[in-house]
């Protein structure tokens, strides 16, 4: 991965050193104990949460964001560094080590992008807010097709631009040790580039996803069913090979999508030529 994607030094210091996060199983929708009783994640891990629609994926990351302590419907417990949540995590937003990038972003202020980011940088005590804003927007613009303009209002951004900016904000300005991402594949974000860039950061990334490439490029995946954690699968080398083949097709589709967006017309001969170049047609 190119080193230019990764900041040499974080612009904001994390509020407290995080080594691990532990999820202790509760119960599924049927009231029975979750088969997977404990998940231990360490810094640098990339994890996917997979399963059919309605199986409890988003509920799991909500439990993590809320630092569940047997006080949510699932009865799960979330531990940081093997211990219960310190009180200041709950009451001081600037001390919160978890950032959730939700599918729903209509809560955002109508402040200009520059003002929104500068405000967050001041709250986080960033030493150089100007540099922080620049780095955040540069990061976000590598993920989204249409560049983000600093003078644009946050409410004017597209879904993909908003999600890209929030991911960049959580990494650069917030320097959040644990980042939860809910179905970024539905927001027009360049998935391949996002994964390559995120792997350069020593953080815990947890994806809720239906995308096979994201799932297979994760270190682990938590399989959900009936509201409960069923099992933890460690990604093996063979699956990484499958992910590489999916990448070829994924990049082909992204290229076709971009050509359609800029007004080009497609034809079968060009498509067949591209498929032959990938080795999928004789």
């Amino acid at each position: 991965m190119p080193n230019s994607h990764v900041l040499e030094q974080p612009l904001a210091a994390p509020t407290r050193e995080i080594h691990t996060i532990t999820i202790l199983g509760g119960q599924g929708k049927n009231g029975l104990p979750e088969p997977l009783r404990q998940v231990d994640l360490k810094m640098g891990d990339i994890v996917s949460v997979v399963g059919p629609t309605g199986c409890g994926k988003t509920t799991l990351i909500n439990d993590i964001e809320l630092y569940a302590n047997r006080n949510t419907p699932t009865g799960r417990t979330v531990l940081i560094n093997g211990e219960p949540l310190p009180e200041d995590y709950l009451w001081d937003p600037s001390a919160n080590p978890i950032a959730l990038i939700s599918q729903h972003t209509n809560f955002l202020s109508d402040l200009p992008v520059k003002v929104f980011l500068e405000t967050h940088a001041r709250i986080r005590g960033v030493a150089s807010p100007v540099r922080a804003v620049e780095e955040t927007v540069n990061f976000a613009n590598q993920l989204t097709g249409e560049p983000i303009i600093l003078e644009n209002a946050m409410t004017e951004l597209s879904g993909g631009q908003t999600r890209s900016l929030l991911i960049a904000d959580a990494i650069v300005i917030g320097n959040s040790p644990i980042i939860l991402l809910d179905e970024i594949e539905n927001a027009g974000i360049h998935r391949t580039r996002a994964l390559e860039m995120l792997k350069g950061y020593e953080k815990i990334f947890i994806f809720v996803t239906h995308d096979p490439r994201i799932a297979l490029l994760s270190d682990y995946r938590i399989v959900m069913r009936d509201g409960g954690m069923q099992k933890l699968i460690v990604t093996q080398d063979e699956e990484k090979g499958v992910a590489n083949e999916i990448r070829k097709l994924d990049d082909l589709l992204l290229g076709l999508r971009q050509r359609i967006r800029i007004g080009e017309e497609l034809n079968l001969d060009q498509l067949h030529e591209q498929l032959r170049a990938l080795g999928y047609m004789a």
Side-chain angles (χ1 to χ4, degrees), residues 162-263:
T162 301
R163 301 276 284 284
S164 297
L165 189 66
L166 292 178
I167 292 170
D169 176 57
I171 291 172
V172 178
I173 294 178
N175 195 22
S176 302
I178 302 163
I179 299 181
L180 315 174
L181 303 107
D182 196 0
E183 297 193 26
I184 65 167
E185 64 264 24
N186 295 333
I189 289 175
H190 195 297
R191 299 186 296 279
T192 298
R193 191 171 300 140
L195 283 163
E196 288 174 346
M197 293 172 68
L198 296 182
K199 282 180 178 291
Y201 293 86
E202 193 72 7
K203 301 178 183 295
I204 296 174
F205 293 98
I206 302 178
F207 290 87
V208 168
T209 187
H210 294 281
D211 186 278
R213 176 159 168 72
I214 292 176
L216 294 178
L217 284 179
S218 300
D219 300 302
Y220 314 96
R221 56 188 186 270
I222 300 171
V223 180
M224 301 291 298
R225 188 171 63 249
D226 296 329
M229 299 185 293
Q230 301 297 311
K231 60 181 177 178
L232 184 72
I233 298 177
V234 179
T235 305
Q236 303 296 330
D237 288 342
E238 186 170 355
E239 287 193 322
K240 292 177 182 177
V242 173
N244 190 51
E245 290 300 311
I246 293 174
R247 173 179 181 165
K248 296 177 185 178
L249 297 173
D250 198 27
D251 288 347
L252 171 61
L253 290 173
L254 286 172
L256 294 174
R257 185 180 300 138
Q258 180 62 21
R259 290 173 60 191
I260 289 171
R261 283 175 173 169
I262 64 177

Side-chain angles (χ1 to χ4, degrees), residues 272 275-276 279-282:
H272 290 165
L275 288 171
R276 278 193 290 271
Y280 291 113
M281 290 186 66

Side-chain angles (χ1 to χ4, degrees), residues 5 41 46 60 107 116 118 135 141 146 181 234 249 275:
H5 289 329
L41 305 175
I46 296 181
L60 175 60
F107 62 89
F116 177 85
E118 285 176 343
E135 293 283 1
N141 282 340
E146 191 70 21
L181 303 107
V234 179
L249 297 173
L275 288 171

